[in-house]
């Protein structure tokens, strides 16, 4: 299996697990969990833990994994730009992360073509995958069993 596929699988598994974890916490606290999507989940995790706790949980690394997966899946311009900000070392050219061919008409990173032509559009390797796997393990080892979520904060995010 290609490295990109492993990264996509890890990101999707983590995304599903964190979504389920947060939904269970909301239900236990009798808070609304409809209209919950990944962006809301990510914003909640940006608000809930203190900066120190977020660092020990590897929240920033897991956000990098999310943007990397979105870049691989679609070459989405927003995901590419976010990933470029967080991990410029993943890109061949820091000056133009959206198009390595010199074609200024493209607004998407052509990840899929790069797989078939054996020219990596992203500079990632197995070590990066292993680091993301370790970050995911640490995240789940450090996360509290329950998260105290204020109803007002949640409603503002869902609103």
């Amino acid at each position: 299996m290609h490295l990109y596929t492993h990264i996509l699988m890890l990101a999707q598994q983590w995304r599903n697990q964190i979504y389920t974890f947060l939904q269970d916490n909301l239900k236990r606290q009798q808070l609304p969990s409809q209209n919950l999507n990944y962006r809301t989940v990510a914003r909640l995790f940006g608000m809930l833990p203190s900066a120190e706790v977020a660092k020990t949980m590897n929240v920033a690394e897991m956000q990098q994994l999310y943007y990397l997966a979105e870049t691989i899946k679609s070459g989405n311009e927003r995901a590419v730009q976010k990933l470029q900000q967080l991990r410029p070392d993943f890109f061949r050219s820091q000056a133009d992360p959206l198009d390595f061919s010199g074609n200024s008409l493209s607004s998407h990173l052509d990840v899929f073509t790069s797989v078939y032509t054996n020219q990596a559009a992203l500079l990632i390797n197995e070590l990066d995958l292993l680091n993301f796997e370790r970050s995911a393990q640490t995240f789940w080892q450090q996360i509290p069993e329950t998260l105290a979520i204020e109803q007002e904060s949640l409603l503002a995010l869902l609103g």
Side-chain angles (χ1 to χ4, degrees), residues 103-155:
N103 179 359
S104 61
L105 299 175
S106 174
S107 64
H108 291 279
L109 181 63
D110 192 358
V111 175
F112 292 110
T113 302
S114 72
V115 172
Y116 296 112
T117 61
N118 206 20
Q119 297 174 352
L122 294 168
L123 300 177
I124 55 176
N125 59 42
E126 288 80 11
L127 183 58
D128 296 312
L129 174 62
L130 291 174
N131 288 337
F132 282 125
E133 287 175 354
R134 285 187 202 112
S135 292
Q137 289 173 348
T138 301
F139 178 90
W140 289 113
Q141 291 167 351
Q142 298 298 320
I143 196 167
E145 286 187 33
T146 58
L147 295 172
I149 302 168
E150 293 180 14
Q151 186 168 1
E152 294 80 28
S153 299
L154 178 64
L155 292 176

Side-chain angles (χ1 to χ4, degrees), residues 5-62:
T5 306
H6 288 285
I7 289 170
L8 290 173
M9 288 172 44
L10 176 64
Q12 187 63 45
Q13 180 183 20
W14 183 79
R15 203 172 154 174
N16 291 344
Q17 289 172 336
I18 197 67
Y19 182 82
T20 301
F21 174 82
L22 192 55
Q23 268 197 321
D24 290 346
N25 267 270
L26 292 174
K27 286 178 186 173
R28 269 189 252 128
Q29 295 176 49
Q30 297 179 349
L31 295 171
S33 63
Q34 63 274 18
N35 299 330
L36 194 63
N37 58 35
Y38 181 77
R39 289 185 87 174
T40 307
V41 169
R43 288 173 35 202
L44 272 171
F45 272 97
M47 294 172 25
L48 295 175
S50 67
E52 185 177 315
V53 172
K55 185 172 173 67
T56 62
M57 287 173 51
N58 293 332
V59 172
E61 288 84 353
M62 299 314 297

